[in-house]
Amino acid sequence: MKLVHVDNKNRRAFVNFYKKQYLNDPLKRDSLSGLVKGLIYGKSELCKSVDLEPLMVVDDDKIVMICMLAFAYRMSDYIQIGFFESEELNMDAFKLIMDRAEKMARQKGASKISASLNIHVNYGLGFLAGDYDKKQSFGMAHNPEFIHKYFELNGFKAIEMVSYKKDMKNVDELLSSDVRKRLETRYNVRPADLSNLKHECSIYTDVNNQSFGDHLFYYPRKKEEDYELFKDLKFLLKPENLLFAEKDGIPVGFMLWYPDFNQLMKPSETVGLRTVIKNKLFSGKINQFKIVEMGVIPGERNKGAILALFDYCFKCTKGKFHNFESGWILSENTKSKNFGIKWADCESKHYKAYIKELSDEQV
């Protein structure tokens, strides 16, 4: 068994192994292999701000495990074990990756190793930690249960996360007419102008960076990175999927939501042009939408901007979907959790991210 560094000769094998974990599985859908390929081939905007070491563990010429070790310049305390995939539990293979991650940490002066963060939270955080028999929703993780043993048995601390679900039948009861009127006098909520995508992405980046500056796994984004992300999604999205809350003409909050595109995809498909065409022709077959991300700048929190965004979103989705699912929320984020508990019907799924603090001898 040996650790192999991915280069031009074997990068296709890396991408194919990644795709193999998702294709033709009735519970999973492949939504990230395009990003993986962009990173491996050096074509993603992210490559300008991160040192990547794509790795494979090979046993008798068979790939048994892959990951990308990543050192993001704006998150310099961490070496990330991202895009981690393993077909079966193999601690010997994982030890090879851990040894290399610790060595990379010493080289970079990093003091922690993270697992499940895919370079930035916008591309994925958290391993599924329950409901392994349920289908994967768009933008969320799905993995074997044994994945957690790699980290639980190697000194990592688990960071708990939860998503929430709500039936759309009773959304009218969430806001009284008086509250709605007060919100309308305070905030203007508008959909994004996708014909001016670069400008709208710039606003998204600014509000995002202000809203999540104190988030455990977040680091500031560059406008070029978010533009690349939305440019890839542009033909799947409608203006109403990216909402901005404005106060006196200044953006103070945002919400990103979209239909659960996984419901349109077959197990053999990778998200792409076919998904776009199906979304145009058969969007009525999607009965769930995802509230992926929302944030409000510090000075406007607890003043109703979140409620205004929810209210506008529910107007857009009323009668079109049976339910919605939130993205993951850190269990330590009590304000967001309380909001989910109050507004949602129930918890949906649980996820775990991992962090390992390195000792002075390891660094």
Side-chain angles (χ1 to χ4, degrees):
M1 190 178 301
K2 60 182 178 179
L3 187 69
V4 176
H5 289 254
V6 176
D7 56 23
N8 293 350
K9 296 178 181 178
N10 56 21
R11 58 190 180 184
R12 180 179 293 180
F14 182 102
V15 174
N16 288 342
F17 182 88
Y18 181 89
K19 294 175 71 171
K20 180 183 174 185
Q21 311 312 307
Y22 294 88
L23 296 180
N24 300 314
D25 187 319
L27 299 178
K28 298 182 179 183
R29 296 295 183 270
D30 177 20
S31 60
L32 283 179
S33 65
L35 173 62
V36 169
K37 187 174 181 180
L39 292 167
I40 289 290
Y41 283 73
K43 295 181 178 181
S44 172
E45 188 71 29
L46 291 172
C47 295
K48 298 176 182 178
S49 60
V50 62
D51 290 339
L52 286 176
E53 282 196 16
L55 301 173
M56 303 186 296
V57 180
V58 178
D59 189 12
D60 291 333
D61 295 326
K62 178 186 176 183
I63 302 172
V64 297
M65 189 177 293
I66 64 169
C67 76
M68 288 191 205
L69 297 186
F71 176 76
Y73 305 158
R74 284 163 269 154
M75 197 179 184
S76 58
D77 285 348
Y78 287 85
I79 296 297
Q80 302 176 29
I81 301 177
F83 302 99
F84 179 78
E85 298 290 343
S86 173
E87 286 190 331
E88 58 186 28
L89 186 64
N90 189 325
M91 282 295 181
D92 291 335
F94 185 71
K95 186 179 185 304
L96 295 176
I97 286 177
M98 276 301 299
D99 287 347
R100 179 57 200 148
E102 290 176 1
K103 183 176 180 180
M104 188 175 180
R106 289 193 294 271
Q107 293 171 337
K108 301 293 186 181
S111 60
K112 305 180 185 80
I113 297 176
S114 69
S116 84
L117 178 61
N118 293 333
I119 299 182
H120 192 275
V121 292
N122 284 9
Y123 306 101
L125 174 71
F127 294 115
L128 182 65
D131 295 310
Y132 301 100
D133 59 340
K134 293 182 180 179
K135 290 183 179 179
Q136 177 186 22
S137 59
F138 194 78
M140 305 298 278
H142 199 298
N143 47 265
E145 184 174 3
F146 68 76
I147 287 291
H148 297 278
K149 291 187 178 179
Y150 289 122
F151 309 102
E152 292 169 349
L153 300 178
N154 281 281
F156 284 78
K157 174 187 175 184
I159 309 297
E160 308 279 346
M161 299 179 287
V162 62
S163 64
Y164 292 91
K165 199 165 189 175
K166 184 168 185 63
D167 193 313
M168 290 296 291
K169 291 178 182 177
N170 54 0
V171 296
D172 290 336
E173 304 170 4
L174 295 176
L175 287 181
S176 68
S177 59
D178 288 342
V179 171
R180 185 172 286 113
K181 288 177 181 177
R182 287 200 299 271
L183 290 174
E184 288 174 352
T185 62
R186 187 179 303 167
Y187 298 106
N188 173 58
V189 178
R190 68 167 181 86
D193 178 6
L194 297 185
S195 67
N196 196 3
L197 184 60
K198 187 169 287 189
H199 176 261
E200 299 292 63
C201 286
S202 176
I203 295 173
Y204 167 84
T205 302
D206 287 340
V207 179
N208 218 327
N209 286 342
Q210 292 181 67
S211 300
F212 295 107
D214 57 353
H215 191 287
L216 176 60
F217 288 100
Y218 188 89
Y219 62 86
R221 291 279 280 176
K222 291 184 177 180
K223 295 174 182 180
E224 297 82 1
E225 295 165 349
D226 284 329
Y227 178 64
E228 178 183 70
L229 174 63
F230 278 96
K231 188 171 62 175
D232 290 343
L233 288 172
K234 180 178 179 179
F235 296 105
L236 280 171
L237 300 180
K238 297 179 180 179
E240 65 195 33
N241 295 136
L242 177 58
L243 303 174
F244 293 110
E246 298 175 335
K247 185 176 182 180
D248 299 327
I250 299 173
V252 296
F254 77 97
M255 174 188 283
L256 176 63
W257 70 273
Y258 43 62
D260 186 356
F261 299 116
N262 278 9
Q263 293 184 343
L264 288 179
M265 296 170 60
K266 294 180 180 179
S268 59
E269 293 177 3
T270 294
V271 65
L273 180 60
R274 185 176 295 182
T275 316
V276 174
I277 295 171
K278 285 184 176 181
N279 188 44
K280 300 292 185 185
L281 298 176
F282 306 112
S283 59
K285 291 188 175 182
I286 301 177
N287 61 24
Q288 174 174 277
F289 71 95
K290 302 290 300 298
I291 296 181
V292 183
E293 186 184 19
M294 59 190 309
V296 173
I297 66 174
E300 289 298 320
R301 291 173 187 167
N302 304 316
K303 295 182 180 180
I306 288 287
L307 296 176
L309 287 162
F310 265 112
D311 192 49
Y312 194 102
C313 174
F314 289 160
K315 288 177 184 176
C316 296
T317 55
K318 185 177 180 180
K320 298 179 182 178
F321 303 94
H322 294 168
N323 57 67
F324 80 81
E325 183 185 39
S326 76
W328 48 260
I329 296 172
L330 293 174
S331 292
E332 65 181 34
N333 187 344
T334 53
K335 287 187 177 180
S336 294
K337 275 194 68 178
N338 289 340
F339 205 83
I341 292 168
K342 181 179 179 180
W343 277 52
D345 295 329
C346 60
E347 293 183 352
S348 180
K349 293 179 181 177
H350 290 82
Y351 301 86
K352 291 182 181 180
Y354 291 94
I355 294 175
K356 181 174 183 178
E357 299 268 357
L358 299 178
S359 65
D360 293 338
E361 291 77 17
Q362 292 172 307
V363 176

